Amino acid sequence: MPDIGAIALTAGMIVAGASGAQLLHTPVAWPSTVEGFGQRVADRTGYFVVQASTYALLGRGLGYRRDTVTCPRSQLLRCGFARTFTAFDRNGVRRVHVPLLASVIVGSGVSLAWRPERAEAGKSWAFVGSRIGIGLAGQLGKRIVADWWKTR
């Protein structure tokens, strides 16, 4: 049975991200119209599909599982960082969270295929670098907010 809450949250995050990009008029090549908003929603959706698929495939293939223990409220940032960017391998050993890191990198790189930044090398690198940074920061933020919510 699909998790309706997770689906709604994902859809909300896609629309919120596209709305922010629409307000900032980024990328400039996409107009600030309904069509431009649609391009921004499609961009965010494509990134999500690639990122989530890569994460699932690598997670299963490598036998990684996330650390799901809630961080104490007094250590949300430090603990959240550690538990976001590390995971347990199939032997239960804590390792760098390769599926997460790779999925954000792959999603960012693949999304360049439909972005206007792909036409210029400098803009391509800047876009991919910023999307990776935003993607990783978003993962950390999601973990901190979730743990804060559980301990409120």
Side-chain angles (χ1 to χ4, degrees):
M1 184 73 147
D3 182 349
I4 300 302
I7 293 169
L9 179 61
T10 299
M13 294 302 293
I14 288 170
V15 171
S19 298
Q22 181 87 348
L23 287 172
L24 295 172
H25 195 81
T26 181
V28 175
W30 293 344
S32 290
T33 62
V34 172
E35 180 184 346
F37 183 69
Q39 289 172 299
R40 290 173 177 92
V41 169
D43 169 51
R44 304 284 183 201
T45 303
Y47 169 80
F48 171 76
V49 168
V50 172
Q51 189 269 327
S53 300
T54 303
Y55 181 86
L57 288 169
L58 282 175
R60 280 192 206 109
L62 295 173
Y64 273 51
R65 62 181 172 76
R66 283 187 287 219
D67 186 339
T68 57
V69 175
T70 303
C71 291
R73 191 171 188 112
S74 63
Q75 297 179 359
L76 284 175
L77 183 58
R78 191 178 84 211
C79 175
F81 186 89
R83 292 185 181 166
T84 298
F85 298 113
T86 63
F88 298 105
D89 68 11
R90 69 182 76 228
N91 297 318
V93 176
R94 185 180 295 275
R95 305 247 185 232
V96 170
H97 198 338
V98 173
L100 175 69
L101 298 175
S103 69
V104 170
I105 292 167
V106 170
S108 298
V110 169
S111 65
L112 186 61
W114 57 78
R115 298 277 303 201
E117 292 90 343
R118 71 184 178 279
E120 268 184 66
K123 287 184 178 181
S124 295
W125 284 105
F127 166 74
V128 171
S130 63
R131 185 158 268 190
I132 289 170
I134 291 166
L136 294 175
Q139 293 292 327
L140 175 59
K142 187 168 65 173
R143 174 64 191 238
I144 290 170
V145 168
D147 285 358
W148 172 81
W149 186 258
K150 290 176 192 172
T151 61
R152 70 187 192 296

